Amino acid sequence: MIRFILLFSRQGKLRLQKWYITLPDRERKKITREIVQIVLARSQKMSSFVNWKDLKLVYKRYASLYFCCAIEDQDNELLTLEVVHRYVELLDRYFGNVCELDIIFNFEKAYFILDEFIMGGEIQETSKKSAVKAIEDSDMLQETMEEYMNKPAF
Amino acid sequence: MPAVSKGDGMRGLAVFISDIRNCKSKEAEIKRINKELANIRSKFKGDKALDGYSKKKYVCKLLFIFLLGHDIDFGHMEAVNLLSSNRYTEKQIGYLFISVLVNSNSELIRLINNAIKNDLASRNPTFMGLALHCIANVGSREMAEAFAGEIPKILVAGDTMDSVKQSAALCLLRLYRTSPDFVPMGDWTSRVVHLLNDQHLGVVTAATSLITTLAQKNPEEFKTSVSLAVSRLSRIVTSASTDLQDYTYYFVPAPWLSVKLLRLLQCYPPPEDAAVRGRLTECLETILNKAQEPPKSKKVQHSNAKNAVLFEAISLIIHHDSEPNLLVRACNQLGQFLQHRETNLRYLALESMCTLASSEFSHEAVKTHIETVINALKTERDVSVRQRAVDLLYAMCDRSNAQQIVAEMLNYLETADYSIREEIVLKVAILAEKYAVDYTWYVDTILNLIRIAGDYVSEEVWYRVIQIVINRDDVQGYAAKTVFEALQAPACHENLVKVGGYILGEFGNLIAGDPRSSPLIQFNLLHSKFHLCSVPTRALLLSTYIKFVNLFPEIKTTIQDVLRSDSQLKNADVELQQRAVEYLRLSTIASTDILATVLEEMPPFPERESSILAKLKKKKGPGTVTDLEEIKKERNSDVNGGTESTPVNASTVSTPSPSADLLGLGAAPLTSAAPPPSSTGSLLVDVFSDSASVVAPLAPGSEDNFARFVCKNNGVLFENQLLQIGLKSEFRQNLGRMFIFYGNKTSTQFLNFTPTLICSDELQSSLNLQTKPVDPTVDGGAQVQQVVNIECISDFMEAPILNIQFRYGGTFQNISVKLPITLNKFFQPTEMASQDFFQRWKQLSNPQQEMQNIFKAKHPMDTEITKAKIIGFGSALLEEVDPNPANFVGAGIIHTKTTQIGCLLRLEPNLQAQMYRLTLRTSKETVSQRLCELLSEQF
């Protein structure tokens, strides 16, 4: 299973963090600092995998953002790279040419999309159509419900 | 201004985020955040009821602030309110806040659980999805307790929507991982297995994850999943790349599901049913064949997905380890990847080949790639890839290629990254020892190691070379000659001085015949390094010098002059000074005979597991990331398991029970109180005791003596008119060595003298004792010595019994005493400041972690004696930590092979009442208990 996912910028700013195991806040911060440092220190020619404690880090850079997953020993590294890619595709499909700013300003949406895709550290829905449809449905749902509640839009 | 937001824009949030981004400094950011927090607080506290939108917006702002890394201590209630909103986006934000800021506040948990319950029952698939996500995200035991019964029903109900089934399966998986005790197996399990046949591939994917984890714990129950998984896999593998529509990823059919199915199959041995097995072999062959086909796309996603399936298939082939044909094909495939231009593939191929190397079927095939791997070591730019190459060379090493591999590793070591040098040193040392046919090669290799990477040669490595040289006569002369030559180098590593000093001290005489390495030259060579070395090495060299006095009487006066110099005799270091004084004295007053006895050649070391191997294993586990909820579960089960054990009162344990006392008295005539047997002897006793070779009950006074050894290591354990038993012991981390001295106090021989160590079954599993039998005859007035090697595996309560049986003048003697090997011997003191102490003290606040005893002082209450006892007990004595200076506090770590247990103790004397209160807090209940018992007896 994926233990946690971190998104951070080249400057080391954390943009999204998703933990599939329960850890105290202090511990999370410590782990984040450590991992951001490790990944940013690596050059482009290096492999996308790092052994870290009892876990494997799998990361990939998209433009200014690093996507990093921590997986367990028996998990598949290459497929984890594609988990990251599929998530980027989902963000792209939703925002249309996604960039770091989209994730900063619509952080809650980035979390919702991730939730549709992965749950409890395991892939929930690999079909791009189904996952994006779920999010778009929820946007639609909000609008129809607002109509239903007969309240003005903001 | 922000990028356009879709769905519902929260303008206020966007403005706030913008403001934060425009902050020029950390201070400005904090100021802006504090302003916002004050604003939100006043809105939440205000009289005017907030509408849903505002509530959502403010909760979302709080979430943003928290994710920036600031603490949030309010807003939870408002978030919980959002859960019961009918608007999807409000509910969604509420759930997101709860998932991120889990709060164990019980009142809130009740409210949250209520909202979740409503949403689960709503039959609205989107709401149900949100509720299931929240349960999975929080994943606490409380959640598991509340919902683990409900979710399987949702999962297998006929009318549940596919998307909800997916969520339910993964939610259940999360709960099962942290709280399996709340997820009982039942008739739902067989229906879950059949989800493998479901039409919806998303459902199958989620179900496969769940089944894999369940099957690991309950393989019998999920056995039927094997054939279903094989047929599903077969359908995917043979499908055309467009058959699966949306589940085809860059021309690869359902890679996620394929990998998961292959993973599930790795929970089981190869299928027994020949048809299923054949079908699986076909699948695996197809996957291997596809790897040879030209790619359907140039995109890296295509090759990654395809190879992900391939690597998982290879993992399964290795796991089954039964089809030589597949294993060799897998090896050839990986061999191709070794030269692939993608670093990722080279990395994975090296890693995967490591496991192939250990299979008898593919070991030889792996070995054919040796040149490629050696080349990788030289040319790879990524250190982690080079590290994998080292691992693989280590794994493929055998007698046929050991010399080449060791040479290449040594070669690489000269330029290797600092981060992996120590591990390479260990690996080289192990391989050199394991495959040494010729021990001169071994000695050369290790000396090379020290020369190339002396700083990374740990103590274990040079200890080991000495152990081997001492145990093998055939290499001693060569070793002496080689170290002597190596020491000639103007700059040599201190580790070489250590090895050289030790080996020349033992075997320098073997090369002294050669005028180029005469005793004086050897001595001068070593002594020329002396002043550059650290204290421990100098101490070692001083021991070498005194051994030289014995080996080479002709240079005795030169050595005495050195020992006598002010820099030795008046050295600021106590250890060096003491050695110099004692060695000088020894060399002056002892006759050559005595000197020869004292400084006799070291006896061979007992064969045991290589200490370097142990070190390498230890290096492999540098830390873990463990789920808090799992820890919580373990603690809970500790409480449940521990309910039967009554709290132990120290006084009842160490005072023998009435019956034990009686037995003790009954045994007296046989042991300590026995008058020296006259020749007439008591025939009846004689016959009786001889025939029934039973273990004697504990000798009287044994308990008292035992208690005295808790805080010290040396002394007399037992004494009667015939026999004296003395002990000398030393402990380091989880290991110890005890010397037992049996003194015959009479002038007559003891015959059939057999001491035996007796451990109960329980004790045997936590304490490993090794010893050799002693000479069965002990002459009158003589002393024999027995060495016991001790290893503490895990914490323990009892003590081993030492039973001694022998014949003295025709009577049979049978004595039993408790051997004082107690848990506290494996203490390592820890110094810490007051603040740290109390912080840790608070952390260990679970009731079962603490053990307290209030007892009357048995000895005069003297501060200095008490301090000495606490230090003797093994913990550090922490001064100026307790606000009350009359109290004593200590801290230390108990080392066992399996774990280390942190221990804190506090002793509060009450002079007026002549009482003490002792409190122990450790991370393990049984340890607190045992240490409290042991220490309570000391004051």
Side-chain angles (χ1 to χ4, degrees), chain A residues 3 47 82 89 115 124 127, chain B residues 133 167 246 249-250 382 625:
Chain A
R3 297 278 193 96
S47 77
E82 296 318 300
E89 285 184 348
D115 269 355
Q124 172 167 231
S127 151
Chain B
H133 265 110
S167 303
D246 229 21
Y249 181 84
Y250 291 86
D382 181 348
V625 181

Side-chain angles (χ1 to χ4, degrees), chain A residues 43-59:
Chain A
S43 75
Q44 286 201 310
K45 286 278 171 204
M46 294 183 165
S47 77
S48 311
F49 318 127
V50 186
N51 280 343
W52 180 76
K53 298 202 174 174
D54 58 340
L55 302 178
K56 300 191 283 200
L57 305 178
V58 176
Y59 69 93

Side-chain angles (χ1 to χ4, degrees), chain B residues 199-339:
Chain B
Q199 291 199 322
H200 190 282
L201 281 192
V203 173
V204 186
T205 310
T208 310
S209 298
L210 173 64
I211 293 167
T212 303
T213 304
L214 291 173
Q216 277 163 357
K217 296 268 171 61
N218 321 279
E220 261 318 293
E221 198 132 355
F222 290 87
K223 234 166 68 183
T224 49
S225 63
V226 172
S227 60
L228 291 176
V230 169
S231 64
R232 190 92 222 192
L233 182 68
S234 157
R235 268 180 284 161
I236 296 172
V237 171
T238 54
S239 67
S241 55
T242 49
D243 282 0
L244 304 174
Q245 293 163 356
D246 229 21
Y247 290 90
T248 298
Y249 181 84
Y250 291 86
F251 303 100
V252 182
W256 276 281
L257 180 53
S258 306
V259 164
K260 283 192 185 299
L261 291 168
L262 288 162
R263 180 87 230 136
L264 168 59
L265 291 171
Q266 287 172 63
C267 301
Y268 290 94
E272 281 160 24
D273 182 329
V276 177
R277 192 169 172 157
R279 207 165 174 199
L280 178 58
T281 306
E282 260 172 48
C283 285
L284 295 171
E285 277 169 350
T286 313
I287 294 172
L288 285 167
N289 291 341
K290 279 189 178 174
Q292 298 300 325
E293 289 171 10
K296 292 194 172 69
S297 154
K298 285 212 158 56
K299 288 226 152 86
V300 68
Q301 282 77 27
H302 171 70
S303 94
N304 276 352
K306 189 171 148 183
N307 292 326
V309 177
L310 176 64
F311 273 106
E312 205 62 54
I314 292 177
S315 292
L316 180 62
I317 292 169
I318 296 171
H319 169 79
H320 284 170
D321 196 13
S322 61
E323 300 270 354
N325 171 40
L326 287 177
L327 282 160
V328 171
R329 279 194 69 185
C331 184
N332 294 339
Q333 181 60 53
L334 294 176
Q336 288 182 18
F337 284 155
L338 285 182
Q339 315 210 40

Side-chain angles (χ1 to χ4, degrees), chain B residues 356-368 395-398:
Chain B
L356 267 180
S358 55
S359 162
E360 51 168 327
F361 301 117
S362 48
H363 183 78
E364 287 303 317
V366 170
K367 273 169 59 185
T368 59
M396 68 164 71
C397 189
D398 61 18

